Amino acid sequence: MTHRHDEFTALLEPERDGLWRFAQRQCWDRSAAEDCLQDAVMTAYRKFDVFTPGTSFKAWVFRILINVILNSNSQTRRALSRRAGTEDLDLVAALEREDAYENILENVDDYLDRVPDSIKRAVKSLPTHERMVFLLRAVEAFSYREIAQFLDIPMGTVMSHLFRARTRLRETLADYVRETGFARTSA
Amino acid sequence: MKCQQARRLMMVYLDSELETHVTDAVSEHLDGCDVCRERFDAEDRLERRTGALLREATMPEEEWESLLDSLGRPVTPWWRWAAAAAVLVAALSLLLKSEPHQDGLLHEMMRAHRALAMGDERADVSAADIVGPEREAIDAFLEQRSLGVLAAAIPSTIEGHPIELVGAREERLLGQPAASVQLRCCGTPTSLFVMRRDRVDALPSEWQKALQKGSAEEDGLRAQSLAGDDVLVTHVWHTGHEPPPLAVFASL
Ligand SMILES: [Zn+2]
Ligand SMILES: [Zn+2]
């Protein structure tokens, strides 16, 4: 294999799991996710000449993957660019009436040890555009600015989607607590 | 800084996205306020644990290998995706051309199909509420919701095209409950809608007629018999992949 090929795969290897799980969680099914990821990686490979050494390869290749996903999903693209609301981002106030959420906060580790799948299901049930912003921040640790650049939207809109995603996630977790009676069974 | 102010900045603070002087002001408040500090700590732990749990998913080795293999290939293999998009675009333009005839039911089917097949977002649809792909799971779901169809009734080929089940969910079409079964026809995402006869009877009369004709072809709708009394209606369009049923309507 060529030098260029080796260099590309060496940079790609550390990002493989992140790219893979992001595609899996943003596409309709496994096979669509495989197609998207393959499309993105091949595009990145073709364009590798324009990648600036010394800058973040992770950000560069994620941006390509996000474009592939959004190109086949104009509704999510529209939902992403919908202007931010004027709500202030007070998570405590937003969850004021979720009593069950208090139980989780009191025992975060205990809760997640017992029902680790509940958080995965809750993430799955987020609207696609909110899930995208949440995963980029909470799982892949991109900054607000980077996410704004990837999605071509203002930072305020990133913050608003992220806030809604987090509120919705916590509401869903509170629902699980009520359904499963987690609070009653925890010591 | 007051508690309410600090809380309003909580998640942005935890994301380390505040300007330095604001960060300092929040930190200072936390030093002196147990209530806020506990809340901040708990939310921080929840976020970190969530991130860690979601980072556990790793790419299967064979998928990585095949991805690397594809790098050497001169021809890009994303035609599958592109083809599905092209098919949908063609179907959509067909729909748009034939308005206003196809207002209503077809639009709803198209929207439901796009939401799933193209991963489009609607607040109430996500991959999470699709059951399947096992026929047993789909059967149990449809039976429990009285949607009036068994996955077993879905043929393994339609017009000679191989069908692969993906999953099912409940959908409302013109206000009536219907089973929406997602499948792949030759690999192309396809939706099959099934509505009970009594639900069909509750639809506007022009749609009842269109659905019950049995084998008519009009305005991009084609009705054909699936099995016995079941009625199937498919979109018809003309593209390279032909004739994949984009949306199939069956009533039992
Ligand atoms: Zn305080
Ligand atoms: Zn086919």
Side-chain angles (χ1 to χ4, degrees):
Chain A
M1 282 294 173
T2 62
H3 174 66
R4 178 176 181 269
H5 179 278
D6 293 347
E7 202 184 327
F8 179 79
T9 50
L11 286 168
L12 185 65
E13 165 99 61
E15 314 308 336
R16 57 178 253 191
D17 292 332
L19 292 165
W20 182 81
R21 63 187 169 233
F22 185 78
Q24 290 290 325
R25 290 180 177 129
Q26 290 299 145
C27 295
W28 180 42
D29 64 14
R30 252 192 119 84
S31 133
E34 271 175 48
D35 287 354
C36 276
L37 182 55
Q38 192 173 40
D39 186 355
V41 167
M42 292 189 70
T43 303
Y45 186 60
R46 276 199 312 273
K47 289 189 182 171
F48 191 44
D49 295 336
V50 303
F51 170 69
T52 316
T55 60
S56 165
F57 181 80
K58 179 181 181 180
W60 185 72
V61 72
F62 258 88
R63 188 176 195 162
I64 294 173
L65 175 62
I66 289 165
N67 265 325
V68 169
I69 291 171
L70 291 181
N71 280 345
S72 59
N73 192 336
S74 53
Q75 231 164 308
T76 293
R77 199 189 274 283
R78 270 197 303 279
L80 278 166
S81 48
R82 221 165 280 148
R83 284 181 65 85
T86 49
E87 81 262 54
D88 65 54
L89 311 180
D90 190 341
L91 194 73
V92 181
L95 294 164
E96 213 164 35
R97 289 182 303 148
E98 296 287 353
D99 302 338
Y101 183 59
E102 296 294 318
N103 296 121
I104 298 174
L105 283 186
E106 278 164 26
N107 289 296
V108 170
D109 292 316
D110 193 20
Y111 176 77
L112 290 176
D113 286 341
R114 279 161 190 253
V115 278
D117 285 343
S118 66
I119 196 101
K120 292 178 192 160
R121 283 201 306 269
V123 169
K124 259 193 199 172
S125 73
L126 288 175
T128 311
H129 67 288
E130 288 179 10
R131 191 185 326 121
M132 186 177 272
V133 175
F134 178 78
L135 292 175
L136 289 173
R137 170 62 231 168
V139 180
E140 306 307 334
F142 286 113
S143 70
Y144 294 176
R145 184 177 300 282
E146 284 173 309
I147 299 171
Q149 282 166 356
F150 294 160
L151 304 175
D152 199 17
I153 56 178
M155 258 169 66
T157 310
V158 170
M159 290 165 75
S160 159
H161 291 318
L162 190 54
F163 175 75
R164 282 184 207 176
R166 281 168 165 162
T167 309
R168 221 186 287 269
L169 261 181
R170 285 157 173 78
E171 284 166 351
T172 308
L173 292 180
D175 288 343
Y176 289 140
V177 166
R178 275 189 292 270
E179 281 163 24
T180 58
F182 166 79
R184 283 195 302 280
T185 54
S186 69
Chain B
M1 184 175 285
K2 297 211 169 74
C3 289
Q4 204 202 7
Q5 250 177 308
R7 287 169 172 197
R8 211 174 269 153
L9 297 170
M10 178 169 67
M11 298 315 288
V12 188
Y13 173 85
L14 295 176
D15 283 335
S16 309
E17 294 270 358
L18 291 173
E19 285 176 52
T20 318
H21 71 279
V22 188
T23 304
D24 293 345
V26 175
S27 299
E28 201 177 307
H29 176 82
L30 294 181
D31 284 342
C33 176
D34 290 346
V35 178
C36 284
R37 198 176 51 244
E38 266 173 40
R39 177 69 182 236
F40 274 54
D41 284 349
E43 298 286 2
D44 193 34
R45 208 168 318 124
L46 180 66
E47 285 280 316
R48 284 171 195 277
R49 289 281 319 258
T50 301
L53 278 169
L54 293 171
R55 274 189 294 273
E56 279 170 9
T58 55
M59 185 178 196
E61 205 54 42
E62 58 288 2
E63 242 179 87
W64 171 243
E65 298 294 333
S66 88
L67 190 65
L68 288 185
D69 280 350
S70 67
L71 288 183
R73 247 180 268 151
V75 185
T76 53
W78 39 272
W79 56 270
R80 279 183 291 173
W81 190 253
V87 161
L88 281 163
V89 168
L92 277 173
S93 53
L94 185 85
L95 271 177
L96 292 176
K97 255 184 242 154
S98 38
E99 275 183 315
H101 268 308
Q102 298 180 343
D103 211 20
L105 193 57
L106 274 182
H107 265 107
E108 299 213 13
M109 293 198 296
M110 282 300 298
R111 202 193 49 216
H113 174 74
R114 282 202 318 267
L116 292 162
M118 302 305 287
D120 270 0
E121 87 82 27
R122 289 190 303 164
D124 58 338
V125 174
S126 78
D129 50 25
I130 299 176
V131 297
E134 306 76 22
R135 278 179 189 265
E136 296 77 15
I138 296 176
D139 273 344
F141 169 78
L142 297 174
E143 196 175 9
Q144 177 215 336
R145 303 291 180 93
S146 308
L147 289 171
V149 65
L150 294 179
I154 297 160
S156 57
T157 61
I158 293 180
E159 293 187 312
H161 290 239
I163 299 301
E164 179 198 332
L165 278 175
V166 172
R169 59 172 257 112
E170 186 173 345
E171 196 64 66
R172 287 190 98 80
L173 299 173
L174 294 180
Q176 296 302 317
S180 153
V181 181
Q182 290 82 49
L183 34 95
R184 288 180 169 272
C185 178
C186 312
T188 305
T190 302
S191 295
L192 175 108
F193 297 95
V194 188
M195 200 181 264
R196 258 165 40 192
R197 176 73 66 193
D198 54 339
R199 306 295 195 185
V200 172
D201 289 345
L203 291 173
S205 59
E206 65 268 29
W207 285 110
Q208 288 179 42
K209 261 182 256 152
L211 294 172
Q212 286 163 1
K213 239 181 215 167
S215 161
E217 200 167 313
E218 59 173 57
D219 295 330
L221 262 182
R222 184 170 40 162
Q224 58 176 142
S225 210
L226 176 64
D229 277 343
D230 317 340
V231 179
L232 261 186
V233 179
T234 73
H235 277 90
V236 182
W237 68 86
H238 308 280
T239 64
H241 176 214
E242 85 131 10
L246 170 71
V248 182
F249 201 100
S251 127
L252 300 191

Short mmCIF file of all heavy atoms in Angstrom, two decimals, chain B residues 1-4 6-7 29-30 33-37, ligand 1:
data_model
loop_
_atom_site.label_atom_id
_atom_site.label_comp_id
_atom_site.label_asym_id
_atom_site.label_seq_id
_atom_site.Cartn_x
_atom_site.Cartn_y
_atom_site.Cartn_z
N MET B 1 -23.18 36.12 42.90
CA MET B 1 -24.12 35.39 42.04
C MET B 1 -25.16 34.65 42.87
O MET B 1 -24.85 34.09 43.90
CB MET B 1 -23.34 34.39 41.17
CG MET B 1 -24.23 33.66 40.18
SD MET B 1 -23.30 32.59 39.06
CE MET B 1 -22.58 33.77 37.93
N LYS B 2 -26.42 34.69 42.36
CA LYS B 2 -27.50 34.00 43.09
C LYS B 2 -27.67 32.58 42.55
O LYS B 2 -27.22 32.26 41.45
CB LYS B 2 -28.81 34.77 42.88
CG LYS B 2 -28.80 36.18 43.43
CD LYS B 2 -30.21 36.57 43.89
CE LYS B 2 -30.24 37.85 44.68
NZ LYS B 2 -30.05 39.06 43.86
N CYS B 3 -28.35 31.75 43.33
CA CYS B 3 -28.56 30.35 42.95
C CYS B 3 -29.17 30.23 41.55
O CYS B 3 -28.72 29.44 40.73
CB CYS B 3 -29.48 29.64 43.94
SG CYS B 3 -28.69 29.37 45.53
N GLN B 4 -30.23 31.00 41.30
CA GLN B 4 -30.93 30.85 40.03
C GLN B 4 -30.00 31.15 38.85
O GLN B 4 -30.04 30.46 37.84
CB GLN B 4 -32.15 31.76 40.00
CG GLN B 4 -33.20 31.25 39.02
CD GLN B 4 -34.15 32.34 38.57
OE1 GLN B 4 -33.95 33.52 38.89
NE2 GLN B 4 -35.16 31.96 37.83
N ALA B 6 -26.76 30.85 38.85
CA ALA B 6 -25.77 29.78 38.75
C ALA B 6 -26.37 28.57 38.03
O ALA B 6 -25.73 27.96 37.17
CB ALA B 6 -25.29 29.39 40.13
N ARG B 7 -27.62 28.24 38.39
CA ARG B 7 -28.25 27.08 37.79
C ARG B 7 -28.50 27.25 36.31
O ARG B 7 -28.43 26.31 35.54
CB ARG B 7 -29.58 26.80 38.50
CG ARG B 7 -29.34 26.25 39.87
CD ARG B 7 -30.62 26.22 40.64
NE ARG B 7 -30.43 25.51 41.89
CZ ARG B 7 -31.43 25.05 42.61
NH1 ARG B 7 -32.67 25.24 42.22
NH2 ARG B 7 -31.18 24.40 43.73
N HIS B 29 -19.62 30.82 43.57
CA HIS B 29 -20.93 30.53 44.15
C HIS B 29 -20.97 29.10 44.68
O HIS B 29 -21.47 28.85 45.78
CB HIS B 29 -22.05 30.75 43.13
CG HIS B 29 -23.40 30.37 43.67
ND1 HIS B 29 -24.15 31.21 44.47
CD2 HIS B 29 -24.11 29.22 43.57
CE1 HIS B 29 -25.27 30.59 44.83
NE2 HIS B 29 -25.27 29.37 44.29
N LEU B 30 -20.43 28.18 43.92
CA LEU B 30 -20.48 26.77 44.32
C LEU B 30 -19.70 26.53 45.61
O LEU B 30 -20.08 25.69 46.43
CB LEU B 30 -19.93 25.87 43.20
CG LEU B 30 -20.76 25.84 41.91
CD1 LEU B 30 -20.13 24.90 40.90
CD2 LEU B 30 -22.20 25.43 42.18
N CYS B 33 -22.18 27.40 48.31
CA CYS B 33 -23.58 26.95 48.28
C CYS B 33 -23.66 25.44 48.10
O CYS B 33 -23.45 24.92 47.00
CB CYS B 33 -24.34 27.67 47.16
SG CYS B 33 -26.05 27.11 46.98
N ASP B 34 -23.99 24.73 49.18
CA ASP B 34 -24.04 23.27 49.14
C ASP B 34 -25.13 22.76 48.20
O ASP B 34 -24.94 21.76 47.50
CB ASP B 34 -24.30 22.72 50.55
CG ASP B 34 -23.08 22.91 51.44
OD1 ASP B 34 -22.01 23.22 50.88
OD2 ASP B 34 -23.22 22.79 52.67
N VAL B 35 -26.27 23.45 48.22
CA VAL B 35 -27.41 22.97 47.41
C VAL B 35 -27.02 22.94 45.93
O VAL B 35 -27.19 21.94 45.25
CB VAL B 35 -28.64 23.88 47.63
CG1 VAL B 35 -29.80 23.41 46.76
CG2 VAL B 35 -29.03 23.88 49.10
N CYS B 36 -26.48 24.06 45.46
CA CYS B 36 -26.09 24.11 44.05
C CYS B 36 -24.96 23.13 43.76
O CYS B 36 -24.98 22.45 42.74
CB CYS B 36 -25.66 25.53 43.66
SG CYS B 36 -27.05 26.64 43.44
N ARG B 37 -23.99 23.06 44.68
CA ARG B 37 -22.85 22.20 44.40
C ARG B 37 -23.27 20.74 44.27
O ARG B 37 -22.84 20.03 43.38
CB ARG B 37 -21.78 22.34 45.49
CG ARG B 37 -20.42 21.80 45.02
CD ARG B 37 -19.31 22.00 46.01
NE ARG B 37 -19.67 21.52 47.33
CZ ARG B 37 -19.78 22.30 48.40
NH1 ARG B 37 -19.57 23.60 48.31
NH2 ARG B 37 -20.11 21.79 49.56
ZN ZN C 1 -26.75 28.14 45.05
#
